[in-house]
Amino acid sequence: MSPAETKEKGGVGEALSQAGATVKDGIVGALKGAGEIESEIVRVARTAVTEALKGTGAVAGETLEVSKEVIKGALQAGEEVGASAVTTTRAVAKGVILGVADVGGDVAQAATQLVKGAVKGAAEVGTDVALVAR
């Protein structure tokens, strides 16, 4: 299915919204009582981004939206398990970049989109944007 067909059938929107939920559920489930918060966030974010971008077929065009959704899910999960916004954002950034690299995307462009997505995602969940932008 072409990226255009995927978008027309709602696959992109569905895949993107699932990325944030997947990250939140994965982090909360894995970290209740666990000590390795940051490495687990990286792993879960990487997997979610890789799967979401593979599903959309449009790596370059969807990195911003995927980043935003993943950040939102991770920040919400981080609050539930006591991780700071800075730790969560740093770990998600690593996961997003690794996920984009996994699907052969432009990592430099992804980094730019990641910053924009992180700020938007933080604003949408009510996290202090200044902390996330650090």
Side-chain angles (χ1 to χ4, degrees):
M1 185 179 297
S2 76
E5 289 173 295
T6 303
K7 280 189 176 186
E8 288 176 7
K9 294 185 179 186
V12 171
E14 189 174 313
L16 297 179
S17 66
Q18 284 298 321
T22 299
V23 168
K24 179 183 178 200
D25 294 345
I27 292 169
V28 170
L31 297 180
K32 293 281 185 179
E36 297 297 321
I37 292 174
E38 190 170 350
S39 62
E40 188 63 21
I41 293 171
V42 171
R43 186 192 66 74
V44 172
R46 180 181 190 173
T47 301
V49 168
T50 300
E51 294 305 313
L53 293 177
K54 279 182 185 176
T56 66
V59 176
E62 301 302 336
T63 304
L64 174 63
E65 191 64 24
V66 170
S67 297
K68 180 182 82 168
E69 293 299 326
V70 169
I71 286 284
K72 283 171 45 179
L75 288 171
Q76 291 167 338
E79 286 179 17
E80 288 185 32
V81 298
S84 74
V86 173
T87 298
T88 301
T89 303
R90 181 178 51 237
V92 169
K94 290 177 189 175
V96 168
I97 295 301
L98 291 169
V100 168
D102 287 347
V103 296
D106 182 340
V107 175
Q109 180 185 13
T112 301
Q113 296 299 316
L114 173 63
V115 173
K116 293 175 185 176
V119 170
K120 287 181 179 185
E124 286 184 18
V125 297
T127 300
D128 184 352
V129 174
L131 287 175
V132 172
R134 284 184 170 170

